[in-house]
Amino acid sequence: MANSMGTSIRAGLFMALCATTSMTSISAANAQDAGERGATLLQRLIIGAGQAKVATDTPQAVTALEQEDLDDKQATTASDILKGVPNATVVGGANRALGQSFNIRGIGKGEAAADEGRIIVNVDGVPQFYEQYRMGGFFNDPELFKRVEILRGPASSTLYGSGALGGVVNFTTKDASDFLEDGESGSLKLKANYDSNPNGYLLSGILALRMSENAEFLLAGNYRAAQEFEDGNGDKIEGSEFATPNGIAKGTFYLDEAQEQIVRLSYSQFTSDQEDQGYSQLQPTGFFGNVDRVVNNRQAQISYENAASDNPWLDLKVSLSYNNITNKQTNADLGAFSPIGQDSLYGYESYQLLAENTFEWAGDSFENYLTIGGQLIRQNRTTGTQNPLGHHPEGTDTQVGFFAQNEFIWNDRLTLIPGIRVDFQKLTADDSLANLTGGVVPEDKSDVAVSPKIAALYEFNDNFSVFGSYAHTQRFPSLDEIYSNDYASPAPPNYSLGLSKETSNNFELGFIVSTTDLAIEGDSFDLKTTAFYNKIDDLIVRQRNQYPQYVNIGEAEIYGVEVEAAYDTESFFTNVGFGLTVGEDLTTNTALTTVAPPEITVGAGVKMPDYGLTFGWDGRFVFEQTRVDVAAADQLRSDGFNTQDLYVSWRPGDDTQFKGWEGAFRVENVFNTQYRDFLANDNGKGRTFKLTLAKEFGW
C-alpha cells in the first residue's frame, strides 16, 4: 500500500509539473505589471512567516483567511474555519464548542499529551495550551477574529517555538480601527445569526470609539447557544448542546503623530458550559461516562510596537501576556472509571514575555531584514481536587528561547531565509506529587532544543517561481509525559526523566505560477504546489498499564503534497485545494493512525459588485481512509464522502442607501449526507441552514 501511495504522489507531482510548464508558457505571453494584480486567495498578505509578503512570495505552505472569508463561512467553531485548507483539519469534538484540537499533515490526534505541543496555536501572539485526555485544547469563538493564518510544517519553529512539528495556527482578533472610518468618533455594529441545526443562535455587539486622534477603544461581546445537533440520519449527537458567552475589550494608544509607536491593552474571556461530556459515537455512553464541564479561557495582554520608518535599525515589538484556561468538572458519572470521578478544577496558567526587533539595510540590488528576539514562557499546571491526580500531574514548565531569522532579497528574484532558534526548558514537579510517588518529589528535568532552518525562493520571471526549504526542530516532553503516574501507587519517583526529545527533519520543494489576463482582460490566476517529506525520530507515545508511561518508540516518516489554485475576475472566482499525506511508523512498518485521507476542496462563485452580492458554492470531496492498523480499524477507518454548501453574501457599497448593512445565507451539507471526518469523535452535521444579518452605525 505504501508503495502504491508513493507512486500516486510521484505521478501527481509529475502531472502538476507538466501542467505548470504549460501554464508558464501561457502566462509569459500575458504578463502584466505586478501592481495590477488581482486579489486571489494566494495573493493574501502573510504576516506570520516573517516580513509581510503575499502567499505566492512565501517559501512555505501558508493559507490566510480574512474577515470576509469568516463571514461567508458563518463559522461556529474552528472546524468551520479550517474547511478548505489543504492538509489541515480539526479532530476530536470537531463540531462541539468545548474545545478543538488541530491536525496538520498527519500530526495531532487530540487525545495524547504530545499533540498540543506539536502544533502551536496563538491568539494575538499568545499561546493557547491545554492538554487533558479526551478534550480539545482551543477554546474561543470565531466571532472575535478578523484573520486566521495556517503555517504548515516545522519551518515556523524558528519564530514560534521548537516542537512545531505540524505547524502554527495564528488567530488575530478585531480592532477598533476595523470599524472606524476617517472622521468618525464611534461605531456600533449589531449582528444576529440563526442556525437551523442545532436550532442555534448568535447575538453580537461591537462598539468602537475614537476618543482622540491617539486613542481608540473596542468593546465586543457575543452570546452563542445551540441545542444538540443532528447528523445526516437525523440522530442527535448527545452532549453537543452548548452556551458560550464571550467578549473582548481593547485599547489602542498612539504615542506619536505618525502613529508608529503603539501601545495596546486587551482582555478577553471565553466561557463554555456543556453537560454530559465524554460521550461520543465512537465510545458510547457508559464507556467513559459523562461529566458536566464549564471551561473559561481568560487572556490579558499589553504590547508596544515602534515601526520607526525613518530608522532602519529599529522595528520593535514587545508584549507581556497572561493566559488562564480552567475546566471545572462536576456531576461526574464515570462508571468503571469512578475513582477519578471527583469534582475537579483543571487548569493551565501561563505568562509570556516576547520581544523582537528587525534590522533593515539595502543596496542597489539587495534588501536584507534581520529579526532577532527572545521568548519567556512560564506555565503552571494545576488540579483543584482534594487528592492529587496521577493522570493530570501538577507542575511548572519554564521555557526560554532565543531566535534569529534573516531574510535576504537579491535583485527582486532570489530570497534566502536562514534561521535558528535555541530553547531551554525546565520542568518542576509540584510537591503534591510526593503523595503519589512514595513521599518523594520527582526531580526537575532540564533540556536544550535547537531548531535551524533555511528556505529559498527564486523567481525566474514575474510568472514562475520555485522554492524549497529544510527545517530541523526538536520537541520537549511535556509535564504530562514526564510526571504522569496513574498506573499504580506508589510510582517510581523519577521513572520518566530519561525520556528524549522528539526530533524532526523536514524537506519541502514547490513551485508557483502567477499570471493575469489568462482568459479575459483583468483576470488573475495563481497556483502553488508544495511537496514535503518529514522524518521524525524518538516519537513519544503512551504505553498503558506499566511504567514508564511514556516512551520513545523510534522513527516515523510523513510525506505528501499540497496544491492550491485560485482564479479571479470582476464577476467570477474559483478556488481549488488538494491535500495528500502518507504516514508510516518505520519501527513497526505500519501506517500512522493520525493521517487524514486525501481531500479535494472546490469553491466557485459569481459576484455582482453593483448590488453587493456574491453567490457561491463550496464542495468537499474526501477519500476513504483504510490505511490503519487492523486492531484499530473499527474506530479509525472512515468512508469517503462529499458535502456541498451553497451561500449568498450581501455587502452593499458605501454609496448606497443600504450602507452599513450586511447579510448572509448559507446551506451546509445540501444533500444531508451522513458522514464522519477521520479522527472525529462524532458524525458530521446534517443539512444546516444559516442566516446572518448585521447593521453598523457610525457617527
Side-chain angles (χ1 to χ4, degrees):
M1 180 68 74
N3 291 334
S4 62
M5 293 296 288
T7 302
S8 299
I9 291 176
R10 289 190 290 270
L13 285 172
F14 177 75
M15 293 173 63
L17 285 167
C18 293
T20 300
T21 303
S22 301
M23 290 294 184
T24 305
S25 61
I26 295 172
S27 62
N30 294 293
Q32 203 175 51
D33 183 81
E36 301 176 30
R37 294 282 296 127
T40 70
L41 284 174
L42 287 167
Q43 288 295 319
R44 299 284 176 80
L45 196 66
I46 303 299
I47 300 172
Q51 290 298 302
K53 59 176 65 65
V54 296
T56 52
D57 292 335
T58 305
Q60 183 180 352
V62 294
T63 301
L65 303 174
E66 302 284 6
Q67 184 67 70
E68 286 192 5
D69 302 311
L70 305 182
D71 291 341
D72 288 344
K73 292 174 180 289
Q74 300 186 64
T76 301
T77 66
S79 179
D80 298 325
I81 295 176
L82 264 64
K83 288 179 180 177
V85 179
N87 283 334
T89 187
V90 173
V91 298
N95 293 304
R96 300 175 184 243
L98 190 62
Q100 292 86 44
S101 292
F102 299 89
N103 182 294
I104 299 178
R105 293 182 174 177
I107 295 176
K109 183 180 178 182
E111 291 191 354
D115 290 337
E116 293 300 316
R118 290 172 176 155
I119 296 175
I120 295 176
V121 182
N122 297 314
V123 173
D124 291 337
V126 181
Q128 309 294 295
F129 187 95
Y130 186 90
E131 58 181 28
Q132 183 182 340
Y133 184 58
R134 298 186 64 77
M135 280 192 64
F138 181 70
F139 308 94
N140 227 305
D141 191 281
E143 185 61 24
L144 300 181
F145 304 131
K146 65 177 180 181
R147 180 180 176 84
V148 183
E149 284 189 4
I150 300 95
L151 313 174
R152 300 186 289 279
S156 299
S157 292
T158 303
L159 297 178
Y160 295 101
S162 62
L165 274 65
V168 175
V169 183
N170 287 328
F171 294 87
T172 303
T173 58
K174 294 178 170 70
D175 288 294
S177 57
D178 300 324
F179 304 92
L180 295 169
E181 298 182 4
D182 292 340
E184 288 186 343
S185 60
S187 175
L188 175 65
K189 184 173 184 178
L190 302 176
K191 182 177 182 179
N193 167 271
Y194 175 75
D195 184 341
S196 70
N197 180 13
N199 194 28
Y201 65 89
L202 165 73
L203 299 175
S204 170
I206 300 173
L207 176 65
L209 299 173
R210 180 178 286 126
M211 308 304 294
S212 69
E213 290 297 321
N214 298 317
E216 298 172 350
F217 295 91
L218 175 80
L219 293 173
N222 63 75
Y223 185 86
R224 191 187 298 271
Q227 299 174 4
E228 294 176 340
F229 70 83
E230 297 180 356
D231 62 16
N233 286 339
D235 297 324
K236 291 186 176 181
I237 308 303
E238 184 177 337
S240 62
E241 75 280 2
F242 65 88
T244 58
N246 55 90
I248 187 171
K250 268 189 178 181
T252 304
F253 307 92
Y254 303 99
L255 306 184
D256 63 329
E257 185 175 345
Q259 295 190 342
E260 291 187 331
Q261 296 188 54
I262 307 172
V263 173
R264 289 188 174 90
L265 300 171
S266 66
Y267 174 80
S268 63
Q269 179 166 337
F270 170 88
T271 299
S272 177
D273 186 354
Q274 291 185 271
E275 298 179 352
D276 297 329
Q277 297 304 295
Y279 170 86
S280 77
Q281 290 177 320
L282 295 182
Q283 300 287 3
T285 303
F287 188 86
F288 281 100
N290 293 305
V291 65
D292 298 340
R293 289 171 173 155
V294 177
V295 173
N296 280 288
N297 182 4
R298 303 175 180 90
Q299 177 171 310
Q301 184 178 24
I302 178 172
S303 65
Y304 170 77
E305 300 176 20
N306 188 354
S309 58
D310 58 345
N311 184 352
W313 302 104
L314 182 63
D315 186 356
L316 180 66
K317 299 178 182 178
V318 181
S319 67
L320 178 65
S321 62
Y322 170 79
N323 182 249
N324 188 12
I325 301 177
T326 59
N327 170 30
K328 184 178 181 180
Q329 296 194 166
T330 57
N331 301 321
D333 179 15
L334 303 185
F337 297 87
S338 58
I340 62 172
Q342 56 185 308
D343 290 351
S344 55
L345 182 65
Y346 300 97
Y348 276 92
E349 183 181 48
S350 61
Y351 304 83
Q352 175 184 255
L353 174 62
L354 177 64
E356 63 180 56
N357 186 68
T358 300
F359 304 87
E360 175 185 348
W361 63 93
D364 293 338
S365 60
F366 75 91
E367 301 172 48
N368 197 88
Y369 304 91
L370 172 63
T371 299
I372 62 172
Q375 183 180 31
L376 168 65
I377 301 178
R378 183 177 176 87
Q379 182 184 93
N380 299 318
R381 193 186 208 217
T382 58
T383 306
T385 57
Q386 182 177 358
N387 300 309
L389 299 177
H391 67 277
H392 194 93
E394 297 180 288
T396 301
D397 184 343
T398 303
Q399 296 189 29
V400 179
F402 301 96
F403 57 89
Q405 178 169 291
N406 191 74
E407 184 170 332
F408 175 79
I409 305 170
W410 176 74
N411 205 28
D412 292 329
R413 293 296 185 193
L414 175 64
T415 300
L416 293 175
I417 307 178
I420 190 169
R421 183 184 183 102
V422 181
D423 285 288
F424 303 87
Q425 181 199 50
K426 181 179 180 181
L427 298 180
T428 303
D430 187 81
D431 291 345
S432 63
L433 293 190
N435 296 325
L436 299 168
T437 55
V440 179
V441 178
E443 296 177 5
D444 296 347
K445 180 176 174 61
S446 300
D447 209 341
V448 180
V450 181
S451 301
K453 76 167 183 186
I454 185 167
L457 182 145
Y458 185 78
E459 298 184 22
F460 288 92
N461 51 49
D462 291 339
N463 309 117
F464 182 68
S465 307
V466 295
F467 65 92
S469 68
Y470 164 73
H472 172 87
T473 192
Q474 300 174 317
R475 188 190 74 85
F476 292 122
S478 66
L479 284 164
D480 206 51
E481 292 163 325
I482 296 298
Y483 297 125
S484 285
N485 47 64
D486 58 342
Y487 165 53
S489 183
N494 300 309
Y495 64 88
S496 284
L497 292 181
L499 197 63
S500 300
K501 301 183 294 288
E502 293 178 334
T503 61
S504 165
N505 290 285
N506 186 79
F507 300 86
E508 297 190 11
L509 185 65
F511 59 86
I512 301 163
V513 175
S514 295
T515 185
T516 57
D517 295 345
L518 181 64
I520 62 175
E521 183 178 357
D523 67 5
S524 297
F525 173 78
D526 295 293
L527 169 70
K528 186 172 184 178
T529 298
T530 307
F532 60 90
Y533 176 85
N534 192 357
K535 175 73 174 303
I536 304 173
D537 294 304
D538 292 326
L539 272 174
I540 298 175
V541 300
R542 183 182 182 184
Q543 55 179 5
R544 297 182 181 277
N545 302 327
Q546 58 183 307
Y547 289 118
Q549 289 187 265
Y550 288 90
V551 295
N552 300 104
I553 64 168
E555 300 176 322
E557 64 177 9
I558 299 175
Y559 55 94
V561 64
E562 295 157 356
V563 180
E564 293 179 281
Y567 179 76
D568 187 82
T569 72
E570 184 180 6
S571 59
F572 174 78
F573 66 91
T574 184
N575 306 296
V576 179
F578 171 68
L580 169 65
T581 301
V582 179
E584 301 287 341
D585 184 332
L586 300 180
T587 303
T588 61
N589 293 319
T590 59
L592 293 179
T593 60
T594 59
V595 177
E599 179 174 341
I600 299 173
T601 58
V602 183
V606 176
K607 297 180 288 186
M608 303 176 65
D610 293 341
Y611 300 96
L613 289 170
T614 300
F615 299 86
W617 159 69
D618 290 327
R620 292 181 67 206
F621 302 88
V622 182
F623 293 75
E624 66 177 1
Q625 177 57 290
T626 58
R627 299 189 71 251
V628 293
D629 183 80
V630 175
D634 291 341
Q635 293 185 24
L636 295 178
R637 289 185 177 178
S638 60
D639 296 327
F641 65 89
N642 71 85
T643 61
Q644 314 300 320
D645 301 347
L646 298 174
Y647 66 91
V648 180
S649 297
W650 177 52
R651 300 183 183 92
D654 292 342
D655 56 348
T656 70
Q657 61 180 324
F658 298 107
K659 175 184 177 180
W661 284 96
E662 292 180 20
F665 175 71
R666 187 178 186 94
V667 185
E668 294 182 346
N669 196 358
V670 173
F671 300 108
N672 205 28
T673 301
Q674 172 77 343
Y675 72 96
R676 178 176 61 84
D677 276 299
F678 184 71
L679 293 179
N681 292 336
D682 307 309
N683 290 337
K685 285 186 177 183
R687 185 184 299 112
T688 306
F689 297 90
K690 292 183 176 181
L691 178 64
T692 296
L693 189 63
K695 169 63 175 173
E696 184 174 352
F697 307 87
W699 61 88

